[in-house]
Amino acid sequence: MFFLPGSYTLNKINDKKYLAFIPLNEMNLTLNDEKYTLDDYHVNYPISFSSNEFVGNVGHFNFDNGLLCVIQSND
C-alpha cells in the first residue's frame, strides 16, 4: 500500500505478522506502536525499515513529506 503525507491507522491482516515501511523520499517518519518505534526520524533517502511487527491488531504511523510504501507479510 502507498500513502501520501499524513497520520494513519493500519489494521492488521489476520495471517500477517510483519511490517515493512519503505520511505521513497526524504521525510520525517514516526512509528508509534509497532515493535520497533521511530519518533520523528529524519529519512534522507529511500530505505527499507523491514522486519517490524504489529504489537496488537492496529498500528499507527505518520509522516510529513513524500510517498511511503507499507507492506504486511507473514514471512
Side-chain angles (χ1 to χ4, degrees):
M1 300 171 67
F2 291 92
F3 295 89
L4 294 173
S7 296
Y8 296 92
T9 299
L10 187 64
N11 293 310
K12 182 179 184 249
I13 298 172
N14 286 337
D15 65 338
K16 309 301 182 201
K17 178 180 178 181
Y18 298 103
L19 288 166
F21 294 89
I22 306 165
L24 301 175
N25 308 86
E26 185 173 351
M27 67 178 61
N28 294 307
L29 176 62
T30 298
L31 307 177
N32 296 315
D33 49 11
E34 290 74 21
K35 184 173 183 179
Y36 305 107
T37 61
L38 294 174
D39 185 18
D40 204 31
Y41 182 80
H42 185 76
V43 178
N44 291 311
Y45 49 83
I47 190 169
S48 176
F49 296 100
S50 58
S51 298
N52 210 329
E53 298 180 29
F54 282 98
V55 173
N57 289 320
V58 176
H60 299 90
F61 63 93
N62 65 72
F63 64 105
D64 65 348
N65 186 56
L67 186 65
L68 179 69
C69 177
V70 179
I71 299 170
Q72 294 189 47
S73 66
N74 57 3
D75 64 2

